[in-house]
Each structure stands twice: as structure tokens, then as C-alpha cells.
């Protein structure tokens, strides 16, 4: 049987290389975050690429339970920065703590027409049932 997708390697070495050399457009999809139960019910979608003004709750680590708005999506480092989630440096300067997008839950989406189109496309089944 031929390979289904020749662009994806099974090799650990090649998979890691593809991950760490991924272009920004691919990193966007890798940096998806799960939706809260209410949003999942409403849109019929499990996860969506995270975006700047989404509101999230941190679900893992020492900062678990903290909530806030996403201030920046740092694609180069595969992390997001949440407002008021900072660490004091030795010199007293405050710096944002990077959090992996998979370790947060989106509680409120910033919707625009493009994002609504994504939700419509991904969760067409769930949305159609809600309307009828």
C-alpha cells in the first residue's frame, strides 16, 4: 500500500524537523486550543487556532485556574501570553509567562467574519441541528 500523504514523515527525526521549522501559517494550526464545554456545545467544534483577544482559563501547571485575555500569540516559541500572568525578574521588571496553547481552555471567542466562517466549516453538523 502506498503512503497516504507523502508530506508527513513517520520518522521522529523528520517529524521534529518539520515541527520546529514550520512556517507561521502551519504554526497557527498547531497552536490550537480546546473550547470550553459551553462553546463546544454551541458551535459543535472541539478546538480552534488561538487568537489575540480570546479569553482563556489556564488548566495545567502552577498557574492553573488563572484567567484572562490573550495579549499575544508568540508563534516562534509556540506559546501564548495571558494578561496579568507575569513573573518578576531579579531586577524587578515584570515579564509575561509563556503558556502552551494546549494547556488553556478558550472561554470566550473573539468572533469576526473569518472566524465565524471557520466555525461554520468545522462544526457544520452541530450548528445545523441547533437552528432547526
Amino acid at each position: 500500500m502506498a503512503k497516504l500523504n507523502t508530506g508527513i514523515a513517520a520518522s521522529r527525526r523528520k517529524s521534529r524537523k518539520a515541527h520546529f521549522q514550520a512556517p507561521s501559517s502551519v504554526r497557527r494550526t498547531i497552536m490550537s486550543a480546546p473550547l470550553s464545554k459551553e462553546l463546544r456545545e454551541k458551535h459543535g467544534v472541539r478546538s480552534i487556532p488561538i487568537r489575540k483577544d480570546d479569553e482563556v482559563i489556564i488548566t495545567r501547571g502552577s498557574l492553573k485556574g488563572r484567567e484572562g485575555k490573550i495579549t499575544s500569540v508568540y508563534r516562534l516559541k509556540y506559546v501564548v501570553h495571558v494578561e496579568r500572568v507575569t513573573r518578576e525578574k531579579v531586577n524587578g521588571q515584570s515579564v509575561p509567562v509563556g503558556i502552551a496553547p494546549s494547556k488553556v481552555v478558550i472561554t470566550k471567542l473573539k468572533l469576526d467574519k473569518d472566524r465565524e466562517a471557520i466555525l461554520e466549516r468545522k462544526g457544520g453538523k452541530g450548528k445545523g441541528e441547533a437552528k432547526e
Side-chain angles (χ1 to χ4, degrees):
M1 191 177 107
K3 283 176 77 172
L4 294 174
N5 187 345
T6 54
I8 299 171
S11 151
R12 172 180 163 86
R13 179 183 187 174
K14 290 180 183 175
S15 297
R16 282 178 56 83
K17 182 176 185 192
H19 178 80
F20 292 110
Q21 291 189 340
S24 185
S25 56
V26 174
R27 285 177 187 244
R28 177 179 163 274
T29 53
I30 292 172
M31 292 180 71
S32 291
L35 297 179
S36 66
K37 290 222 167 43
E38 300 82 52
L39 287 174
R40 203 184 301 171
E41 294 281 313
K42 184 178 174 189
H43 299 293
V45 175
R46 190 172 185 85
S47 67
I48 192 165
I50 204 156
R51 189 200 152 141
K52 189 176 179 187
D53 287 319
D54 289 343
E55 287 179 25
V56 298
I57 295 179
I58 300 171
T59 57
R60 290 282 182 272
S62 58
L63 298 164
K64 182 176 180 174
R66 300 277 295 274
E67 47 190 298
K69 201 177 263 191
I70 298 287
T71 53
S72 71
V73 178
Y74 204 149
R75 288 189 190 167
L76 189 70
K77 291 184 173 180
Y78 285 109
V79 296
V80 295
H81 295 144
V82 182
E83 74 179 358
R84 297 187 308 277
V85 178
T86 56
R87 173 172 278 136
E88 286 282 309
K89 282 173 60 169
V90 178
N91 65 7
Q93 191 181 359
S94 164
V95 291
V97 177
I99 293 145
S102 61
K103 305 304 175 202
V104 301
V105 167
I106 299 174
T107 55
K108 190 162 176 245
L109 289 165
K110 180 176 194 299
L111 287 173
D112 56 12
K113 65 180 198 315
D114 294 330
R115 209 115 188 259
E116 282 169 5
I118 291 167
L119 288 169
E120 195 69 46
R121 192 173 67 236
K122 277 185 83 175
K125 301 177 287 292
K127 263 227 157 138
E129 290 166 11
K131 283 181 185 170
E132 291 171 19

